[in-house]
């Protein structure tokens, strides 16, 4: 019943599982799907960090490569993304040890995003990040 409910009515399944946990009826839990959903929740948090860093890094690249187009919109986007990345890391400190790998993945995507948004060739942007994680996250850092 629980396994079928997972596929047919996810909302009801989640509430059923929560109720079973609250009542201590562990033998009745749909453990296979619970494990799958818990792992998916962690993966979503990691993707959220990659996405936030990608937008942040793309805007830093645009800032560095198109100084004549700098404006309040880019500045605010950079500030908001820095704050959002910090929030994701504060909410999920277990992601901090993975930040180096996540940063590299986000930078590769940021190059493509910046190229798309600027009309510049992707190779106009360095293959390796021109700024560190600390610089990227610093509210005082603005690449020249």
């Amino acid at each position: 019943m629980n396994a079928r409910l997972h596929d047919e009515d996810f909302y009801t399944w989640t509430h059923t599982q929560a109720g079973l946990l609250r009542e201590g009826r562990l033998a009745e839990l749909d453990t296979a799907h619970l494990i799958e959903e818990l792992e998916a929740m962690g993966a979503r948090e990691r993707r959220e960090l990659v996405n936030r860093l990608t937008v942040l890094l793309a805007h830093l690249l645009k800032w560095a490569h198109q100084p004549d187009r700098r404006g309040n919109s880019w500045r605010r986007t950079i500030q908001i993304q820095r704050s959002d990345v910090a929030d994701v890391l504060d909410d999920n400190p277990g992601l901090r040890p993975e930040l180096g790998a996540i940063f590299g993945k986000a930078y590769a995507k940021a190059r493509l995003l910046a190229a798309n948004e600027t009309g510049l060739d992707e190779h106009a942007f360095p293959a390796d990040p021109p700024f560190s994680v600390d610089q990227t996250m610093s509210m005082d850092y603005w690449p020249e």
Side-chain angles (χ1 to χ4, degrees), residues 49 82-96:
L49 181 56
R82 282 176 170 156
S83 179
D84 287 347
V85 167
D87 288 346
V88 171
L89 289 170
D90 287 346
D91 291 345
N92 301 281
L95 286 171
R96 287 189 190 279

Side-chain angles (χ1 to χ4, degrees), residues 27-87:
E28 297 175 53
L29 289 171
D30 180 4
T31 54
H33 281 119
L34 276 172
I35 291 166
E36 178 183 307
E37 294 303 331
L38 286 171
E39 289 172 341
M41 288 169 58
R44 277 192 297 274
E45 293 302 317
R46 191 175 198 282
R47 279 192 306 275
E48 177 69 14
L49 181 56
V50 170
N51 291 338
R52 296 288 180 180
L53 272 173
T54 297
V55 172
L56 172 55
L57 290 164
H59 274 76
L60 288 172
L61 286 171
K62 291 174 7 179
W63 186 272
H65 286 83
Q66 292 188 317
D68 55 317
R69 304 214 40 215
R70 293 175 184 165
N72 286 332
S73 175
W74 285 4
R75 181 179 294 279
R76 285 188 195 108
T77 297
I78 290 168
Q79 291 169 323
I80 289 167
Q81 293 304 315
R82 282 176 170 156
S83 179
D84 287 347
V85 167
D87 288 346

